Amino acid sequence: MNDTVVATHLSPETVLREMKKHGVTHVVWLPDSETNWLYLLMKAEPTLTLVAVPREGLAASIAAGLHAGGAKPLILIQNTGLMESGDSIRGWLLGLDIPVVLMVGLRGWTRHGVTTDTAAVYTERFLNAFNINYYLIESDADAPRIDVAFEEAKKTNRPVAVLVGDEYHGFVAK
């Protein structure tokens, strides 16, 4: 595989590397098909504890509890679940000033043409309504935006979102 191919896709290795670089201890998430490649890596990573939730609305309260206990959680959910989590984000993450990064799958978003899927259309509006900053990533070249999100969450004691505009593309050939 050449560098050009790697740079055009978001690899799960890159995301995992960013988690480790920023000391993430727990990933609170709702499993879905788009995160399968990342799941396989996270499951094999001994420094991470995976906390699966049955509904995204529970992710904020669990992440807040983990933070209060000294852990460093990351929330990994899809945009539809983000919107379902509104009250929980308000009460737990914003109300308690929890500096957590939310990695949000941007289902329905397209950089080509007009985005018509309302899940994608309302995601940015939802984040803006909650005054939550966000950064879009689509490829490994966007990894520095993940750094920015972690640093901003730490500096502001607020949640910051990373919108994943393209699903993870398998493992990079070694």
Side-chain angles (χ1 to χ4, degrees):
M1 183 171 280
N2 64 42
D3 291 340
T4 301
V5 172
V6 172
T8 62
H9 294 91
L10 180 60
S11 70
E13 291 88 349
T14 297
V15 175
L16 181 64
R17 188 171 33 255
E18 292 296 323
M19 289 180 192
K20 290 172 62 178
K21 182 164 73 174
H22 292 282
V24 172
T25 58
H26 295 75
V27 177
V28 184
W29 72 311
L30 184 71
D32 66 28
S33 59
E34 290 192 14
T35 55
N36 180 57
W37 294 112
L38 181 58
Y39 166 73
L40 294 173
L41 290 175
M42 292 187 307
K43 185 178 172 187
E45 175 54 48
T47 64
L48 283 180
T49 299
L50 303 180
V51 182
V53 292
R55 293 185 60 131
E56 288 95 339
L58 297 172
S61 60
I62 291 171
L66 288 166
H67 174 74
K72 187 166 185 177
L74 175 139
I75 296 174
L76 180 65
I77 57 177
Q78 197 174 58
N79 55 351
T80 52
L82 173 77
M83 289 182 262
E84 187 260 339
S85 304
D87 190 46
S88 187
I89 290 170
R90 177 201 57 79
W92 290 98
L93 301 182
L94 295 171
L96 297 176
D97 300 324
I98 304 298
V100 67
V101 170
L102 300 107
M103 293 202 77
V104 180
L106 195 48
R107 192 195 90 187
W109 183 79
T110 178
R111 69 183 343 247
H112 307 288
V114 177
T115 298
T116 58
D117 186 325
T118 57
V121 169
Y122 292 122
T123 299
E124 291 179 81
R125 296 175 190 176
F126 177 90
L127 291 168
N128 288 332
F130 282 78
N131 196 26
I132 295 174
N133 279 354
Y134 55 89
Y135 300 90
L136 174 66
I137 61 170
E138 295 181 280
S139 72
D140 288 350
D142 298 327
R145 293 179 183 160
I146 299 172
D147 289 328
V148 171
F150 274 105
E151 292 303 319
E152 186 174 316
K154 180 180 175 183
K155 181 179 174 184
T156 63
N157 276 332
R158 292 182 49 87
V160 176
V162 173
L163 302 178
V164 181
D166 191 20
E167 67 183 73
Y168 308 97
H169 291 272
F171 296 97
V172 176
K174 304 280 182 206

